[in-house]
Structures are given as C-alpha cells and as structure tokens.
Amino acid sequence: MSDGNQLTDRPSWKALEGHFEKVRQLNMRDLFAADPRRGERFSVEALGIYLDFSKNRITEETIRLLLDLAKSFNLRERIDAMFAGKKINITENRPVLHVALRTPESQGILVDGENVVPKVHQVLDRMAAFATKVRSGEWKGHTGKRIRHVVNIGIGGSDLGPMMAYEALKHYADRALTLRFVSNIDGTDLAEATRDLDPAETVFIVCSKTFTTIETLTNAQSARAWCLKALQDKQAVAKHFVAVSTNADEVARFGIDTANMFEFWDWVGGRYSYDSAIGVSLMVAIGPDRFREMLEGFHAMDQHFRTAPFEKNLPVLLGLLGVWYGNFFGAESHAILPYDQYLWRLSAYLQQLDMESNGKRVDLEGQSVDYQTGPIIWGQPGTNGQHAFYQLIHQGTRLIPCDFIGFCQSLNPMGQHHDQLMANFFAQTEALAFGKTAAEVEAEGVNPTLIPHRTFEGNHPTNTLLAMKLSPEMLGKIIAMYEHKVFVQGTIWNINSFDQWGVELGKVMAKRITSELVSEAEPSLHHDSSTNALIQRYRRFRSV
Ligand code: G6Q
C-alpha cells in the first residue's frame, strides 16, 4: 500500500469521512428539487445497459471522492494485473482468469509463459460437439434411446451458475430436453430430481473443480447406482455420465472415462466458472451458438471494465456506491431485485459470488481489517418481494441499498402484464427515494392517529439498471458487471476476493463427524459439550 497501513488511514478515505459528515443528512427530495437534471446527470449507458444512480444519497463531490479513492487504491493497475494473468490470488498463488474464458481466439493471455486462450477454445469446441450430439439425438443412451433428460450434479460454484443461467435463459432452451440440477447431499434432492426420469434417457453431468467434494461425489455415486440398477451393465456409464473438472485423475478413479471429461483450470474460481465447461449443461439446453453469444456479452463487459473511464464504468460505479453505503452509512446488506421472472435465481447466484468473494476479515497483508467488508446479499424477483419484505425497506429502521434490474421488452408479451410489472418497478424506486411526508398523508384526510404509521421517510437509495431485453448476450454482460463490481470492492478493501477458506473448513470438519455418526462402536467424542450431545442424540435416534 502506498500511504498508510489501513484503508481508513488514507487521505482519500479521510476525505470521504469528512464529506460524509456534510452530506449524511441530505435528502433526495432536496437533491432532486435543487437540480432538475439530476436524473440525467447521474446516469450512464454502456453496452445497452442504462444505469441510473441518481436516487442515491450522493452529490457530484461524493462521486469525485469515491473515484479518488479508487485511484488511490491503484484500481487501474489491479485490473491490468488481473487481465494480464498475474497471480493476484495470493493465498493460493494463482492467477484469476475467468476473463480468459470469454476472450476471443485472436487474443492471447499468458500464464507462466503459456497462452491459455487456445485451450479455452478447444474445450469450448468439445463442449459444442457434445451439446450438438445430445440436442440432435446423435448421442444415444446405452440401450439406443435418445437422451431426453440432463441432470447436472455439482454444488456451490459448480451448481449455482449453470442453474441460475439455465433459468435465466430458459426462453432460449430446447424444451424437448428436461434439465435438472442436484446439489444437496440430502438424498431428497437426487430422489426428487430422478423420480420421474427414465435412466435409459438420462445423462448426468458431474461438475466438480476438485472432484473431491463429498456432496457431489456422493450424489454421483448414487446416480450411478440408480442408472446401473435399471441398465444392468457397467458399460452404460460411458453413455450416461460425463464429467467437468480440473482433476482428471479423480475423474478416472471415479470411473468416468476421461474422454468424456471437459476440462477447466485452477485459475478459474468456482463461483466464476459457469462460463467455463461448468456451463456445459446450459450449453446443451440453449445450444452452442447462444452460449457463445453469452460469452460475447461477458467479453464486452470485460472490455468496458478494462477501458472505460471510471466515471462511466458500470462495475466501478456500482462497486464504489456499495462502499459508500457499507463503510460510511453502515448498511449491512444489499438487495438485488430483478423485475424478470427468468432471473429468479439471480440473487442466490450473486449471494455466492459476492459473499464468498468478499466475506473476508484480513487484508492482503494478513492484518485484521478495522472496517466492514462484503455486505449480505439477498433478494427476490419483483413484484413478489413487494408483497413480502419491501415493507422493511420502506418503513423499517435499517438502510438497505437496492439494485433494481428491469427490461423494456418482455420475452412473453401478454396483455398488459409487462407494463404493469414495469409500472411497479418505477413506482418502487420513486417511493423509496421520495417517500410520503406527514403533510401529504394529512392532506389525504387520514385519521390523525394514523399519520405516523402512514408516513414514509423516503431517502432510501436505489440503483436502476434498465436494458432492452433479457438475452444470452445481456445475461453475460450483467454477470460480468457484477463479477467486476465485486473485484472493485475487494480492491478497495484490500482483501483477496478469490480464495474461500471458510468453505474448506466446513468440508474438513464434516468428514470427521461422518465417521462418528456411522461407526458401529460408540465413538469417543472430543468436541464441545454441545456438539458431543447432539451427535449422541442423533446416533440414538438415526435408525429407530
Ligand atoms: C466457489 C467455491 C465453492 C465450490 C464448491 C464446489 O468458488 O469454491 O462454492 O464451487 O465447494 O467445489 P468443487 O467444484 O470442487 O466440487
């Protein structure tokens, strides 16, 4: 770091602290009244995404100081280091190159002197050949039947991305194929996913970067047993199981022919991986051409992030606004509110992307931080959320910044549905920003005792992201935008957004407890008194 050890010691941070004291009481009603052009002034458009950030508790000075903060943290240099394949994931000594997954063949990215882009395209071509065979019916099951069902087995980054994207792009999917996603080690997940499927018509895609994840391997083993019970021939595995992994040895040990394996690399983080071979189920559903359109969208946003001036840069602006609320206003969470039913898993996906990346409490030097890092990410699609939790955003005591995401055109035009959906979309950000004063409520002739209950303070910050329509390319742009937003924030907070030791700890501890749960002999337990008693109780009742 160039000046001061901690973020909060830096002049650029101190300047924001001073500024915050001046603007914290500002009200959006006054800000909009003072500047009739505020809506235009605080909005940018790039790659078909219009970002209106005027309904935030900011002035031009706020943005200037936030941009200074980004510069003082060498954001530009950090972006260049990521794109150049530098080993910025310092705790795992790896480059962070999900951007290589969507880099055109004509461009190169070197890792340890090797250009990785050609091998990305080789795998994409193999995926495309597989997807085309399944879609055309050329890939037959063991008994010669056509494949009609695809079940993706994976968890975390090997599940949430392809599942979210499949749901998001269902409109473009081949409806003759059933796609299912199994992640939970709870047998119910696999049982329900397979109960109405014919094994002879089903292909399983086992996705695991490490191929050692207990949930995925357990589900894959049970899926194999389910398949072989019906097909009665071990040779059937070759036609009904493919794998996606970085670990060919473990794939072979599991019994899947590595000829049926799609590779990716340790420089792709799990939560950044659905545009790698981890997305092969999605490619089967929407076809290779649509998948490539999605990659083009990702790449366009990568280029925008890399080259657009920070004041017009979507991920940079979103990231800095998040820092403003999290570190200065003390906001604990951030809501993602897509007004498109196809994006119903987006907040779950972004929850992992953001919280696993920036849920860190030590900085790159290993020092405990004295400031908040990643927020709690949550949300549901509009308008459902309006009839559930929006009440708290409007009238509760907490400050919850929100991203509203909407499209001008529906993929399923039907009567007035879309106009009504979007009327709600615009009404909510307006109501959140401007509220309703006691005088306005009183003027409606409301019983005076009810006035406080019916008053809305307003001044609740929102970003509005408005695009033409949801397409594979647009989804790629939106996801890359959020990936890079997370990067911007991780850079400011000086943390490693690319490791996940918290996930590893749980994996190790569960392994140990499993043997204690199932051992014939009474195990001698050395946990705390609570965990010991819980394990004993479970042992007593597990097979009653
Ligand atoms: C993602 C995380 C984590 C991971 C899962 C599955 O960034 O590392 O969610 O994706 O634990 O891991 P495998 O793909 O190795 O099975």
Side-chain angles (χ1 to χ4, degrees), residues 217-277:
L217 292 189
T218 307
N219 276 322
Q221 262 145 10
S222 299
R224 187 170 56 182
W226 175 82
C227 192
L228 294 184
K229 188 175 170 209
L231 303 179
Q232 295 290 321
D233 182 356
K234 278 202 173 130
Q235 303 298 322
V237 171
K239 289 287 174 201
H240 294 270
F241 283 82
V242 301
V244 181
S245 188
T246 59
N247 192 342
D249 292 347
E250 287 296 331
V251 169
R253 202 195 312 269
F254 180 82
I256 297 179
D257 186 345
T258 47
N260 288 341
M261 167 180 152
F262 303 101
E263 192 190 3
F264 67 118
W265 307 275
D266 68 1
W267 38 262
V268 183
R271 55 196 173 276
Y272 296 87
S273 70
Y274 96 77
D275 49 342
S276 72

Side-chain angles (χ1 to χ4, degrees), residues 309-417:
F310 286 169
E311 64 276 15
K312 295 198 162 80
N313 196 309
L314 299 175
V316 172
L317 289 169
L318 292 175
L320 292 174
L321 287 164
V323 169
W324 178 235
Y325 291 114
N327 295 99
F328 294 90
F329 283 88
E332 293 281 328
S333 77
H334 187 102
I336 304 287
L337 307 168
Y339 278 62
D340 189 302
Q341 186 58 27
Y342 284 123
L343 292 179
W344 74 283
R345 295 302 286 159
L346 180 68
S347 52
Y349 171 78
L350 293 181
Q351 202 165 50
Q352 179 191 26
L353 179 70
D354 202 316
M355 293 171 76
E356 207 166 75
S357 296
N358 285 343
K360 309 289 162 63
R361 59 181 311 118
V362 297
D363 65 15
L364 289 172
E365 287 75 35
Q367 304 291 322
S368 294
V369 298
D370 65 357
Y371 44 86
Q372 295 288 352
T373 58
I376 300 157
I377 300 290
W378 62 288
Q380 287 286 329
T383 56
N384 303 22
Q386 287 174 216
H387 296 265
F389 55 78
Y390 279 36
Q391 165 64 34
L392 187 145
I393 307 178
H394 280 286
Q395 286 190 304
T397 51
R398 293 168 203 282
L399 178 75
I400 303 176
C402 311
D403 287 358
F404 278 70
I405 303 167
F407 299 94
C408 296
Q409 293 177 10
S410 169
L411 293 171
N412 294 295
M414 194 186 292
Q416 275 212 323
H417 283 249

Side-chain angles (χ1 to χ4, degrees), residues 155-158 207-213 216 264 269-272 278 352 356 500 503-504 507:
I155 196 164
S158 299
C207 287
S208 176
K209 181 174 168 180
T210 55
F211 232 77
T212 55
T213 304
T216 301
F264 67 118
R271 55 196 173 276
Y272 296 87
I278 290 289
Q352 179 191 26
E356 207 166 75
Q500 57 283 313
V503 182
E504 314 297 334
K507 289 187 183 181

Side-chain angles (χ1 to χ4, degrees), residues 35-264:
D35 177 5
R37 291 189 52 235
R38 183 177 168 89
E40 285 163 62
R41 215 187 289 284
F42 290 92
S43 53
V44 291
E45 184 165 10
L47 309 176
I49 301 175
Y50 182 76
L51 165 64
D52 177 342
F53 58 102
S54 63
K55 294 190 184 94
N56 277 293
R57 294 168 71 170
I58 54 169
T59 64
E60 284 186 350
E61 176 78 348
T62 319
I63 294 295
R64 192 181 63 70
L65 291 171
L66 286 167
L67 292 169
D68 284 350
L69 182 75
K71 282 181 205 131
S72 79
F73 271 77
N74 304 324
L75 178 59
R76 176 72 63 205
E77 291 76 6
R78 291 280 297 171
I79 295 171
D80 289 343
M82 173 170 71
F83 278 85
K86 298 269 161 54
K87 295 188 175 169
I88 60 169
N89 176 357
I90 53 162
T91 60
E92 297 178 306
N93 194 30
R94 290 174 184 166
V96 172
L97 272 180
H98 41 279
V99 294
L101 300 170
R102 52 263 193 160
T103 296
E105 234 169 336
S106 53
Q107 296 169 25
I109 298 182
L110 297 181
V111 173
D112 294 330
E114 185 201 358
N115 181 8
V116 297
V117 177
K119 53 188 194 181
V120 165
H121 285 272
Q122 279 159 19
V123 173
L124 274 173
D125 290 344
R126 289 189 56 230
M127 289 162 63
F130 170 72
T132 304
K133 279 188 194 159
V134 174
R135 288 164 64 84
S136 68
E138 190 188 332
W139 182 289
K140 300 256 183 319
H142 184 63
T143 63
K145 279 188 165 180
R146 187 182 178 139
I147 296 299
R148 298 190 188 281
H149 317 294
V150 178
V151 181
N152 189 88
I153 298 181
I155 196 164
S158 299
D159 166 70
L160 281 162
M163 193 246 279
M164 174 280 296
Y166 168 66
E167 292 295 335
L169 299 179
K170 214 177 209 170
H171 180 77
Y172 303 91
D174 180 347
R175 302 304 176 101
L177 290 164
T178 315
L179 248 90
R180 302 238 167 110
F181 294 84
V182 173
S183 55
N184 200 328
I185 199 164
D186 182 342
T188 298
D189 203 3
L190 182 66
E192 288 293 342
T194 52
R195 65 183 311 133
D196 56 346
L197 303 187
D198 176 356
E201 298 180 335
T202 304
V203 71
F204 290 91
I205 302 180
V206 186
C207 287
S208 176
K209 181 174 168 180
T210 55
F211 232 77
T212 55
T213 304
I214 201 76
E215 289 90 339
T216 301
L217 292 189
T218 307
N219 276 322
Q221 262 145 10
S222 299
R224 187 170 56 182
W226 175 82
C227 192
L228 294 184
K229 188 175 170 209
L231 303 179
Q232 295 290 321
D233 182 356
K234 278 202 173 130
Q235 303 298 322
V237 171
K239 289 287 174 201
H240 294 270
F241 283 82
V242 301
V244 181
S245 188
T246 59
N247 192 342
D249 292 347
E250 287 296 331
V251 169
R253 202 195 312 269
F254 180 82
I256 297 179
D257 186 345
T258 47
N260 288 341
M261 167 180 152
F262 303 101
E263 192 190 3
F264 67 118

